[in-house]
C-alpha cells in the first residue's frame, strides 16, 4: 500500500519526489498518550488512525519527533490549512501579552505586599508569646517586654527584654535556618560527586589520563567537529527497537552531549565498568550502554573519514630523515596484534579463534603506520587462528599500494610474492638459511630494519594504553570490538608525533 500523509490538504506521497526532498513518513505511535496528542493535532472529525495511517515529516519542526512530552516536536505542529498570522498581528499580540504580563506582575506584587504585612503582624504576636515573665520582688512593678522589630522581614526580628524577662528563640526560625544549611551542604556535596567535563577543564594532565587526548584544546576541537552530527544522531535502543525511518532525539533529561562524549572516552581510556561510569555521571547503566554504542558508531564513521590511507606524496613530504637515507620507498610498516576475547561455548568458534601464539582465544588485527608514525591502516578483526600472510592477503592493504612502494615488516610476513604482483617490494630482516651464522651485512641490515620497524610496535603500544582493550574482552561487546579497536587507533593519531624528523646522528648510524 502506498504511504500517504493523513493530514488535511497534504499531498505528500512516499515516492521518488518525496525522497529527494528528504520527506519521511511516521506511523502513529503505540504509546497511548503520544497517540492522543497526534490524533488531536490532526483534528479530523470521528476518525481514528489505523495500521496504515502515516504523517509526513513536513508537519514536525526540523522533520523529526521527540519522546519528551515537553518538547515542541512531541506531536505535529505544522499544518498548511491553518491560517498563518501576519507580522503585524504577531506584534499586536506581543504588545497585548506584555501588558497582561505587567498587570499580572503588579497584582502579584500587591498580593505579596499584603501577605507580608499580615505575616509581619502575626510574627509580632507569635514572638511575643515566647517572652515569659519571672516573679518580681516588687509587686508594684510591672514586668515589661520591649520588642523591637525590623519592618522589612519577620526573619530579622530582634527580641529584647528587661532584666527581669527571658526571651526564647523561635523554634520555627531555628528549624528553617538548619534546613537551609542542610540543603546548601547537600548541593555542594552533589556537585563534588557528580562527574562532568568540568573535571578535566583546562587541565591537560587530567585530559590525557581520562581521555587519551593530549590536551583539553584537542578534546574541545574533536567535540566541536562532532557536535553537528551528534545533535541529529539516532540513539541505539536494541536490534528490534531502533528503526531507520523514525529519527528520535535524546531527551533533555539525559547527559549533555559533551558529557556523553567525555564518558565514552573515559570508558575507552580508563576501562571503567559500565556500572561505575553510570554511578559517576548519575545515570542508569542501560542509558550509558545506549550512549556508548551510539557514540562508538559515530566516532568510527567520522574518524574513518579523517584518517584515509595517505597518498605517496604525503608520505614523501612527511618522511623522517632516518627513512630517507636507508629506505626512501617505504609506504607502510605493518605488524599484527591480538586481543584476548572470552571463550565461546561453540566448539567451532573456539577452534577458529584459538591462537597458538597467545594460547588463548583472540581476535587479530593488521596495523599499518606511515614512516612518520601515523596509523594509516587498520584491518577488520580476524580469528586468532589466521596466519599473518592470509590476513595481509585478504585485508585489502595490498590493493592500496602503488608500483614502486615498499613494505617493511617482521620475518613472519612472507608476502614477497604477493607484493611482486603489485610491483612492490618487501623489507624484512634476512633469514640465516643454511649458514651457521649471519654475515656481517645481514647483522647490520637486521639492526637497521629493527630500529625503524620498532615504531609500529610503539604505535600499537599506544593503542593498548586504552584499557578497554586490556584483559579478556567479554562476548557482550565483541560485536563492537572492531569499531572500538579502530577508534582507539585513530584517536592515537591526535597525540604528539611518534617519530621526530631529526636527522640521524653518527651514534644512530
Amino acid at each position: 500500500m502506498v504511504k500517504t500523509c493523513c493530514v488535511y490538504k497534504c499531498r505528500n506521497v512516499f515516492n521518488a519526489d518525496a525522497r529527494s526532498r528528504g520527506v519521511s513518513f511516521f506511523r502513529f505511535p503505540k504509546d497511548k498518550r503520544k497517540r492522543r496528542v497526534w490524533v488531536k493535532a490532526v483534528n479530523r472529525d470521528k476518525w481514528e488512525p489505523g495500521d496504515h495511517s502515516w504523517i509526513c515529516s513536513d508537519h514536525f519542526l526540523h522533520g523529526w519527533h521527540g519522546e519528551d512530552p515537553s518538547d515542541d516536536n512531541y506531536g505535529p505542529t505544522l499544518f498548511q490549512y491553518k491560517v498563518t498570522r501576519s507580522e503585524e498581528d504577531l506584534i499586536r499580540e506581543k504588545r497585548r501579552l506584555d501588558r497582561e504580563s505587567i498587570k499580572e506582575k503588579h497584582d502579584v506584587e500587591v498580593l505579596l505586599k499584603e501577605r507580608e504585612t499580615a505575616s509581619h503582624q502575626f510574627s509580632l504576636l507569635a514572638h511575643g508569646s515566647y517572652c515569659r515573665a519571672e516573679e518580681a520582688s516588687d509587686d508594684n512593678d510591672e514586668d515589661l517586654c520591649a520588642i523591637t522589630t525590623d519592618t522589612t522581614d519577620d526573619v530579622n526580628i530582634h527580641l529584647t527584654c528587661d532584666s527581669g524577662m527571658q526571651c526564647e528563640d523561635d523554634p520555627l526560625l531555628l528549624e528553617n535556618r538548619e534546613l537551609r544549611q542542610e540543603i546548601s551542604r547537600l548541593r555542594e556535596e552533589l556537585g563534588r560527586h557528580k562527574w562532568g567535563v568540568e573535571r578535566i577543564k583546562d587541565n591537560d594532565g587530567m585530559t590525557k589520563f581520562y581521555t587519551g587526548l593530549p590536551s583539553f584544546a584537542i578534546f574541545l576541537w574533536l567535540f566541536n567537529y562532532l557536535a553537528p552530527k551528534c545533535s541529529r544522531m539516532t540513539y541505539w535502543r536494541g536490534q528490534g527497537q531502533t528503526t531507520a525511518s523514525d529519527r528520535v532525539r535524546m531527551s533533555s533529561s539525559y547527559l549533555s552531549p559533551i558529557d556523553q562524549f567525555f564518558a565514552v572516552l573515559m570508558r575507552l581510556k580508563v576501562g571503567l565498568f559500565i556500572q561505575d561510569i553510570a554511578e559517576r555521571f548519575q545515570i542508569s547503566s542501560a542509558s550509558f550502554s545506549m550512549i556508548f554504542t551510539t557514540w562508538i558508531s559515530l566516532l568510527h564513521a567520522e574518524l574513518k573519514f579523517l584518517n584515509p590511507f595517505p597518498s605517496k606524496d604525503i608520505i614523501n613530504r612527511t618522511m623522517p630523515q632516518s627513512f630517507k637515507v636507508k629506505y626512501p620507498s617505504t609506504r607502510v610498516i605493518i605488524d599484527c596484534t591480538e586481543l584476548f576475547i572470552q571463550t565461546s561455548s561453540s566448539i567451532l568458534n573456539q577452534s577458529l579463534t584459538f591462537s597458538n601464539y597467545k594460547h588463548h582465544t583472540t581476535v587479530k588485527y593488521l596495523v599499518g603506520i606511515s614512516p612518520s608514525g601515523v596509523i594509516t591502516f587498520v584491518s577488520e578483526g580476524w580469528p586468532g587462528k589466521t596466519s599473518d600472510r592470509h590476513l595481509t592477503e585478504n585485508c585489502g592493504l595490498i590493493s592500496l599500494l602503488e608500483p614502486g612502494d615498499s613494505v617493511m615488516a617482521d620475518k613472519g610476513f612472507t608476502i614477497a610474492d604477493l607484493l611482486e604482483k603489485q610491483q612492490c617490494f618487501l623489507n624484512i630482516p634476512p633469514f640465516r638459511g643454511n649458514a651457521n651464522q649471519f654475515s656481517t651485512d645481514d647483522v647490520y641490515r637486521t639492526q637497521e630494519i629493527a630500529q625503524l620497524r620498532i615504531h609500529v610496535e610503539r604505535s600499537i603500544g599506544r593503542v593498548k594504553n586504552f584499557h578497554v582493550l586490556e584483559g579478556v574482552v567479554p562476548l557482550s561487546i565483541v560485536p563492537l570490538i572492531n569499531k572500538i579497536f579502530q577508534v582507539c587507533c585513530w584517536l592515537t593519531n591526535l597525540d604528539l608525533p611518534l617519530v621526530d624528523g631529526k636527522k640521524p646522528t653518527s651514534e644512530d648510524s
Side-chain angles (χ1 to χ4, degrees):
M1 180 176 291
V2 179
K3 299 179 183 179
T4 59
C5 184
C6 65
V7 175
Y8 177 63
K9 288 189 177 181
C10 182
R11 307 293 184 183
N12 285 336
V13 181
F14 185 72
N15 52 24
D17 177 64
R19 288 194 297 270
S20 64
R21 291 186 291 111
V23 177
S24 302
F25 288 80
F26 307 133
R27 291 182 183 274
F28 277 73
K30 295 182 179 180
D31 182 70
K32 294 182 179 180
R33 179 181 179 183
K34 190 173 183 181
R35 188 183 184 90
R36 285 197 301 268
V37 172
W38 285 31
V39 172
K40 185 177 180 181
V42 171
N43 196 23
R44 293 178 59 176
D45 186 30
K46 298 180 180 179
W47 176 82
E48 286 293 331
D51 294 337
H52 301 288
S53 299
W54 304 81
I55 296 183
C56 67
S57 58
D58 285 349
H59 304 293
F60 297 86
L61 290 174
H62 310 297
W64 50 263
H65 63 86
E67 297 295 333
D68 189 356
S70 62
D71 198 335
D72 293 338
N73 280 347
Y74 189 65
T77 56
L78 305 178
F79 301 97
Q80 295 180 355
Y81 66 87
K82 293 186 177 181
V83 179
T84 57
R85 306 176 67 177
S86 64
E87 185 177 356
E88 183 179 353
D89 292 338
L90 294 176
I91 295 175
R92 187 180 298 109
E93 179 68 15
K94 184 178 181 301
R95 289 199 300 266
R96 184 183 65 82
L97 293 175
D98 290 341
R99 290 195 299 270
E100 291 181 356
S101 177
I102 293 173
K103 184 177 181 301
E104 291 178 357
K105 184 177 180 181
H106 176 71
D107 294 341
V108 169
E109 291 178 352
V110 172
L111 180 60
L112 290 177
K113 192 172 182 179
E114 292 177 353
R115 290 181 176 178
E116 183 180 357
T117 302
S119 176
H120 176 66
Q121 294 175 353
F122 175 77
S123 297
L124 291 177
L125 179 61
H127 286 293
S129 63
Y130 285 98
C131 295
R132 296 198 299 266
E134 296 181 350
E135 294 183 359
S137 58
D138 189 359
D139 295 335
N140 296 326
D141 295 336
E142 294 182 356
D143 296 332
L144 300 177
C145 179
I147 304 175
T148 59
T149 63
D150 185 358
T151 58
T152 57
D153 193 353
D154 60 309
V155 176
N156 297 321
I157 291 176
H158 303 283
L159 301 178
T160 62
C161 58
D162 292 336
S163 59
M165 303 299 299
Q166 180 181 359
C167 293
E168 297 180 356
D169 292 334
D170 188 348
L172 296 178
L173 294 178
L174 293 176
E175 182 180 4
N176 182 273
R177 189 180 301 114
E178 292 175 356
L179 290 176
R180 288 178 181 274
Q181 293 175 354
E182 180 71 12
I183 291 174
S184 178
R185 185 185 63 80
L186 291 176
R187 286 178 177 175
E188 293 178 359
E189 185 178 355
L190 180 63
R192 289 195 301 268
H193 286 81
K194 184 176 181 180
W195 280 66
V197 75
E198 292 79 10
R199 291 270 181 171
I200 62 171
K201 184 177 181 181
D202 300 327
N203 190 327
D204 293 346
M206 297 292 285
T207 303
K208 177 70 174 178
F209 178 80
Y210 283 110
T211 69
L213 300 177
S215 65
F216 187 68
I218 298 296
F219 174 86
L220 288 181
W221 173 85
L222 182 56
F223 173 74
N224 290 332
Y225 173 78
L226 298 172
K229 288 85 175 176
C230 74
S231 62
R232 297 292 299 136
M233 64 185 176
T234 301
Y235 283 80
W236 176 258
R237 299 178 184 275
Q239 185 67 36
Q241 299 181 6
T242 302
T243 61
S245 58
D246 287 5
R247 292 166 288 180
V248 183
R249 189 178 70 175
M250 179 66 73
S251 172
S252 58
S253 62
Y254 284 79
L255 288 177
S256 63
I258 193 170
D259 284 340
Q260 295 179 27
F261 180 51
F262 176 45
V264 170
L265 292 184
M266 279 185 59
R267 168 83 166 131
L268 295 178
K269 179 59 173 64
V270 190
L272 299 178
F273 292 112
I274 291 179
Q275 182 66 35
D276 188 358
I277 297 182
E279 290 290 337
R280 291 171 186 254
F281 288 86
Q282 298 182 6
I283 57 176
S284 66
S285 300
S287 295
F288 178 72
S289 296
M290 178 180 63
I291 291 171
F292 182 76
T293 303
T294 305
W295 271 90
I296 285 295
S297 299
L298 175 64
L299 285 168
H300 182 268
E302 296 300 326
L303 292 178
K304 184 178 183 180
F305 174 77
L306 293 177
N307 292 270
F309 192 74
S311 63
K312 184 182 294 186
D313 177 63
I314 294 177
I315 294 294
N316 292 335
R317 285 192 286 113
T318 59
M319 182 175 292
Q321 193 67 26
S322 56
F323 279 88
K324 290 181 179 180
V325 174
K326 300 292 184 180
Y327 303 96
S329 63
T330 302
R331 185 74 179 274
V332 65
I333 310 168
I334 61 174
D335 197 7
C336 285
T337 185
E338 298 181 59
L339 303 178
F340 289 175
I341 61 174
Q342 185 179 353
T343 303
S344 172
S345 59
S346 169
I347 302 298
L348 177 61
N349 290 338
Q350 290 181 24
S351 63
L352 290 175
T353 58
F354 186 81
S355 170
N356 293 325
Y357 177 66
K358 295 291 185 178
H359 303 288
H360 199 280
T361 52
T362 63
V363 58
K364 194 171 188 177
Y365 295 92
L366 177 71
V367 178
I369 69 169
S370 67
S372 60
V374 177
I375 295 180
T376 58
F377 182 84
V378 186
S379 72
E380 296 294 323
W382 287 71
K385 189 178 181 179
T386 309
S387 65
D388 294 346
R389 174 186 171 89
H390 181 77
L391 176 53
T392 308
E393 182 180 6
N394 295 277
C395 68
L397 174 64
I398 297 179
S399 62
L400 299 175
L401 302 176
E402 301 177 19
D405 290 340
S406 64
V407 177
M408 185 173 289
D410 196 9
K411 286 184 178 181
F413 289 85
T414 55
I415 56 173
D417 56 326
L418 302 177
L419 295 177
E420 287 179 359
K421 298 178 182 179
Q422 293 288 113
Q423 300 179 14
C424 298
F425 309 96
L426 177 65
N427 292 321
I428 61 174
F431 291 92
R432 183 168 59 87
N434 296 326
N436 293 329
Q437 63 182 12
F438 285 107
S439 65
T440 303
D441 292 339
D442 289 343
V443 172
Y444 280 118
R445 178 176 170 81
T446 300
Q447 291 178 350
E448 290 174 355
I449 294 178
Q451 288 176 354
L452 300 178
R453 197 193 65 82
I454 193 65
H455 296 313
V456 69
E457 297 181 3
R458 293 174 60 203
S459 182
I460 293 175
R462 275 186 171 184
V463 178
K464 294 294 183 69
N465 284 333
F466 286 85
H467 295 289
V468 71
L469 306 175
E470 199 174 56
V472 179
V473 178
L475 292 176
S476 58
I477 65 172
V478 164
L480 284 176
I481 192 62
N482 284 344
K483 292 182 178 180
I484 291 175
F485 182 77
Q486 290 174 344
V487 165
C488 292
C489 289
W490 293 326
L491 286 176
T492 60
N493 287 342
L494 299 176
D495 206 340
L496 300 176
L498 186 66
V499 182
D500 57 29
K502 297 179 181 179
K503 297 182 179 180
T505 62
S506 57
E507 296 179 357
D508 297 335
S509 59

